[in-house]
Amino acid sequence: MNWEWSAVSDFMPKFWDGVGTTLEAVVLGSLISFALGLVWAFAMRLPTRFVRWPVGFITEFIRNTPLLVQLFFLFFVLPEWGISFDALTTGIVGIGLHYSTYTMQVYRAGIEAVPPGQWEAATALSLPLRRTWTAVILPQAIRRVVPALGNYVISMLKDTPMFIGIGVLEMLGEARLESADTFRFVEPVTVVGVAFIVIAYPASLLVRALERRLVR
């Protein structure tokens, strides 16, 4: 293998641009998935089936179709109906929407894990429903699900290379562009692979440490 450090140094400006795009997508996509997942979880607990059934169908459909297909739909099909976003915004919305169906299940598990006595105590104290959720249920539920949510953030990071399908130049996209210009594939792809490890591994250690702390 003919490794050239000069190819690495030439790639680094584009690489840092890709890192910024990747981290922006992960952070904003995570916020969307966390917020929307909680909305899905609340909707699935409503007593009326006219809300639960459509929400259940939509979330199951999203969860059981590939993320790349959803990105293509959002980027290439929605503009035919007059709805269009730039490539990065489409990627962020797509990955946030996709993972919200997984975080919904995490929230549901956390809510169901709250002991029934907590609900009974809130009822006995005549707490309003909003107060019951914000002061009693959600603080206990979210504490249980934080590690699982952290794992999904890492999964989002590893799924960002799919953005290249709609033209977003995240880390791998920048590497492929550099390789097409210079015909040097080893250096850019290797740098990106190492970068994913450098970012994801400390994040996984942080999630494990947080999980141990919450258990104590």
Side-chain angles (χ1 to χ4, degrees):
M1 182 178 66
N2 185 18
W3 179 273
E4 294 185 5
W5 286 106
S6 60
V8 175
S9 61
D10 292 340
F11 172 58
M12 291 312 291
K14 293 182 180 178
F15 166 74
W16 290 117
D17 290 339
V19 170
T21 301
T22 298
L23 294 180
E24 180 182 359
V26 171
V27 171
L28 296 181
S30 297
L31 294 177
I32 292 174
S33 69
F34 293 164
L36 190 55
L38 190 58
V39 172
W40 296 138
F42 281 145
M44 291 298 292
R45 293 187 63 87
L46 292 177
T48 173
R49 61 186 179 184
F50 295 106
V51 174
R52 294 199 313 270
W53 287 2
V55 169
F57 174 80
I58 292 171
T59 55
E60 285 295 326
F61 179 82
I62 294 174
R63 187 165 56 248
N64 289 285
T65 52
L67 173 59
L68 187 57
V69 173
Q70 295 168 16
L71 292 176
F72 282 175
F73 180 85
L74 293 174
F75 192 68
F76 295 110
V77 178
L78 284 187
E80 298 291 332
W81 300 338
I83 304 173
S84 61
F85 305 100
D86 62 81
L88 180 57
T89 301
T90 301
I92 292 171
V93 171
I95 201 169
L97 179 63
H98 182 80
Y99 274 92
S100 71
T101 61
Y102 294 95
T103 58
M104 176 196 73
Q105 298 297 339
V106 172
Y107 285 128
R108 287 182 64 185
I111 292 170
E112 292 173 0
V114 175
Q118 300 294 310
W119 295 92
E120 295 169 358
T123 302
L125 293 172
S126 300
L127 292 180
L129 183 60
R130 181 178 178 181
R131 181 69 174 168
T132 299
W133 277 104
T134 58
V136 180
I137 305 303
L138 283 182
Q140 298 182 67
I142 291 177
R143 182 177 181 180
R144 289 176 166 86
V145 303
V146 164
L149 295 178
N151 288 330
Y152 280 123
V153 173
I154 297 173
S155 296
M156 286 187 209
L157 171 68
K158 294 187 290 184
D159 277 348
T160 53
M162 293 188 188
F163 287 11
I164 196 173
I166 57 174
V168 177
L169 294 179
E170 39 66 61
M171 287 194 292
L172 185 59
E174 293 286 5
R176 290 190 61 180
L177 182 62
E178 178 73 9
S179 299
D181 290 341
T182 64
F183 298 100
R184 299 291 305 183
F185 293 89
V186 174
E187 293 86 356
V189 174
T190 302
V191 169
V192 169
V194 172
F196 272 106
I197 296 174
V198 169
I199 297 172
Y201 185 66
S204 66
L205 294 179
L206 178 62
V207 170
R208 293 177 190 173
L210 182 60
E211 182 175 7
R212 290 194 295 268
R213 182 178 178 84
L214 291 176
V215 168
R216 289 199 299 269

